Amino acid sequence: MKREDFNYYLPENLIAQIPIENREESKLLILDKESKKIEHKKFKNILSYLNPGDCLVLNNTRVMPARLYGNRPNKEEKIEILLLKRVKGDIWEVMVKPGKKARPGHILEFGNGILKGEISKITETGTRHINFEYEGIFNEILDKLGEMPLPPYITESLEDKDRYQTVYSKHIGSAAAPTAGLHFTEELLSEIKSRGVNIAYITLHVGLGTFSPVREDNILDHKMHSEYYSIEEDAAGKINRTKENGGKVISVGTTSTRTLESAADDNGRIEASSGWTDIFIYPGYKFKIIDELITNFHLPESTLIMLVSAFVDRDEILKTYEVAIEEKYRFFSFGDAMYIK
């Protein structure tokens, strides 16, 4: 299976640069897996497709202001780092630009020395390990010095950094937002719950895989980076009862999907658990637990479009993307949504 099999042409003007004012007013493309029928709605119309006894699964990770700008002591050049994940204690795995300024033993300073770090290791993938030193609480320092790590295809500045957070974000630790969830408002979630739909919150801290393109021609040679996930007893119970009672499990986003499929056993049951997953879902994968999927429109040749192609069919997804382009849907992180039922 070739990387180019998942390519498509996207006009640059359809890459959403800023979020729309009202989250739930984004467009929603409805794709029926069986009939191949396509409908065009607003995201708030998702209510019409959710039934009592169904279970909506949301990733409640919270994005860190993970982009930091600093320099080496007595050097004027600017060095950018992106926090990816905590290795242990105050040691973090980071991406660095320019990499030649961050060799093992190099000291970096941020915020005039409020935060300092020593590069201790270069990994096989070219990321770095940095050991931070500071006084106070790390997350408070990060809030003061850090910027939201918007993807490189977004060139506009974000006035309200909370717009790159879901309204239900809770556990800080992601280097990127679970963007399918950005369309929900608190009011919409309240209405969904009032209609008898269960809501299960799980956690996956989105890491390096979001920023890493598939470089191998044969996608089977691609190696996913591991990400931390957690599913608590309450969420596992809601999901299992939904399956037992004949309801649908609707996964919100590829991150929720990867978490559920990592934790499910061969009988489609979820156990409360936590750990690391590097699951790579591509066509041919047999889904164990999710019935329907809410997702955004993804980059060409990305692992995300490969996952969605596994859930439906590669040709059908590419045809659907063509329709979305014709209908001027907005693509990627701040773009519109698709509901595959």
Side-chain angles (χ1 to χ4, degrees), residues 10-45:
L10 178 69
E12 189 172 339
N13 67 305
L14 294 184
I15 300 175
Q17 292 295 318
I18 58 174
I20 64 170
E21 184 174 349
N22 187 339
R23 294 172 185 256
E24 63 183 40
E25 288 293 327
S26 57
K27 290 183 180 181
L28 178 65
L29 185 150
I30 311 288
L31 172 62
D32 188 305
K33 286 197 297 182
E34 299 300 322
S35 68
K36 314 302 182 188
K37 180 183 177 182
I38 291 175
E39 300 177 87
H40 303 289
K41 304 287 184 178
K42 294 286 190 179
F43 192 80
K44 61 187 178 184
N45 300 133

Side-chain angles (χ1 to χ4, degrees), residues 15-238:
I15 300 175
Q17 292 295 318
I18 58 174
I20 64 170
E21 184 174 349
N22 187 339
R23 294 172 185 256
E24 63 183 40
E25 288 293 327
S26 57
K27 290 183 180 181
L28 178 65
L29 185 150
I30 311 288
L31 172 62
D32 188 305
K33 286 197 297 182
E34 299 300 322
S35 68
K36 314 302 182 188
K37 180 183 177 182
I38 291 175
E39 300 177 87
H40 303 289
K41 304 287 184 178
K42 294 286 190 179
F43 192 80
K44 61 187 178 184
N45 300 133
I46 197 73
L47 284 167
S48 303
Y49 299 89
L50 305 178
N51 300 313
D54 289 344
C55 186
L56 194 68
V57 183
L58 303 171
N59 180 8
N60 63 5
T61 188
R62 186 167 179 81
V63 186
M64 302 177 291
R67 180 166 279 122
L68 293 164
Y69 294 95
N71 55 273
R72 288 189 288 169
N74 303 316
K75 304 285 185 180
E76 293 185 358
E77 78 275 358
K78 181 184 289 186
I79 299 174
E80 174 188 339
I81 73 167
L82 178 65
L83 304 181
L84 298 174
K85 64 184 180 185
R86 188 191 299 271
V87 178
K88 62 178 180 179
D90 289 318
I91 301 175
W92 286 75
E93 182 179 358
V94 299
M95 295 175 69
V96 183
K97 292 193 303 187
K100 64 182 179 180
K101 303 293 185 180
R103 300 291 183 184
H106 284 176
I107 304 295
L108 304 181
E109 294 183 341
F110 309 91
N112 295 318
I114 294 175
L115 180 66
K116 297 181 180 180
E118 180 179 353
I119 303 296
S120 59
K121 177 181 177 181
I122 300 178
T123 71
E124 292 181 357
T125 59
T127 61
R128 270 65 170 167
H129 286 187
I130 184 170
N131 190 358
F132 285 115
E133 294 182 4
Y134 54 90
E135 292 184 3
I137 299 172
F138 183 74
N139 284 340
E140 292 182 356
I141 294 171
L142 202 57
D143 281 337
K144 182 177 181 179
L145 301 180
E147 296 182 3
M148 296 304 286
L150 296 178
Y153 50 77
I154 294 178
T155 57
E156 298 284 336
S157 60
L158 183 63
E159 294 183 4
D160 179 4
K161 65 181 181 181
D162 281 341
R163 290 307 308 273
Y164 195 55
Q165 304 278 15
T166 62
V167 297
Y168 49 83
S169 65
K170 183 177 181 181
H171 301 295
I172 191 165
S174 272
T179 54
L182 294 178
H183 306 282
F184 289 93
T185 62
E186 292 176 352
E187 293 77 14
L188 182 57
L189 287 170
S190 178
E191 179 68 16
I192 289 170
K193 191 173 182 179
S194 73
R195 296 192 179 194
V197 178
N198 297 305
I199 298 179
Y201 293 100
I202 61 177
T203 305
L204 181 131
H205 292 319
V206 189
L208 182 62
T210 294
F211 298 94
S212 294
V214 176
R215 294 187 173 88
E216 294 79 6
D217 291 333
N218 184 343
I219 69 168
L220 301 183
D221 295 330
H222 177 70
K223 173 64 175 161
M224 295 284 287
H225 289 80
S226 62
E227 297 165 312
Y228 179 80
Y229 75 91
S230 176
I231 301 176
E232 297 182 355
E233 289 281 359
D234 178 67
K238 287 180 179 179

Side-chain angles (χ1 to χ4, degrees), residues 33 249 257 261 281-285 287 289-294 305-314 317 339-341:
K33 286 197 297 182
V249 173
T257 300
E261 293 297 317
I281 297 176
Y282 52 84
Y285 179 84
F287 287 84
I289 194 160
I290 77 165
D291 299 300
E292 299 183 346
L293 174 64
I294 298 172
I305 195 173
M306 293 172 190
L307 183 153
V308 177
S309 296
F311 190 62
V312 187
D313 172 81
R314 181 187 66 89
I317 284 298
Y339 177 37
I340 304 173
K341 68 184 188 73

